[in-house]
C-alpha cells in the first residue's frame, strides 16, 4: 500500500484538475445569467495547497519530528 502522502497528493491533484476544468466551463458559459454556487477558485487553491504540503512531507522538506 502506498504511503498516505502519496494518496493525498494524488487525490488533491485530481480535485485541483476537476475544479479548474469546472471553473473554465463556468467562465465560458453561454448564459451569463446562469450563476453557479460552487467556489471553484477556492477549491482549486486549497487543493493545490494540499498538493504542495503533501509533496513537501513526502520529499522530507517538512517533517513531523
Amino acid at each position: 500500500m502506498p504511503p498516505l502522502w502519496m494518496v493525498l497528493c494524488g487525490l488533491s491533484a485530481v480535485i485541483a484538475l476537476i475544479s479548474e476544468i469546472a471553473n473554465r466551463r463556468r467562465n465560458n458559459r453561454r448564459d451569463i445569467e446562469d450563476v453557479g454556487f460552487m467556489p471553484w477558485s477556492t477549491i482549486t487553491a486549497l487543493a493545490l495547497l494540499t498538493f504542495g504540503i503533501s509533496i513537501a512531507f513526502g520529499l522530507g522538506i517538512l517533517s513531523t519530528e
Side-chain angles (χ1 to χ4, degrees):
M1 187 165 151
L4 181 62
W5 70 268
M6 289 176 82
V7 174
L8 186 61
C9 181
L11 184 64
S12 62
V14 169
I15 290 173
L17 180 67
I18 290 171
S19 64
E20 191 57 37
I21 290 170
N23 193 25
R24 181 175 296 271
R25 287 189 67 206
R26 183 181 66 181
N27 287 336
N28 294 332
R29 66 180 177 259
R30 289 190 181 155
D31 186 10
I32 197 68
E33 298 298 322
D34 187 20
V35 296
F37 65 93
M38 293 299 290
W40 293 118
S41 305
T42 305
I43 293 171
T44 301
L46 292 176
L48 289 175
L49 178 67
T50 305
F51 178 80
I53 291 172
S54 64
I55 284 288
F57 274 117
L59 296 177
I61 296 170
L62 294 176
S63 178
T64 57
E65 297 174 355

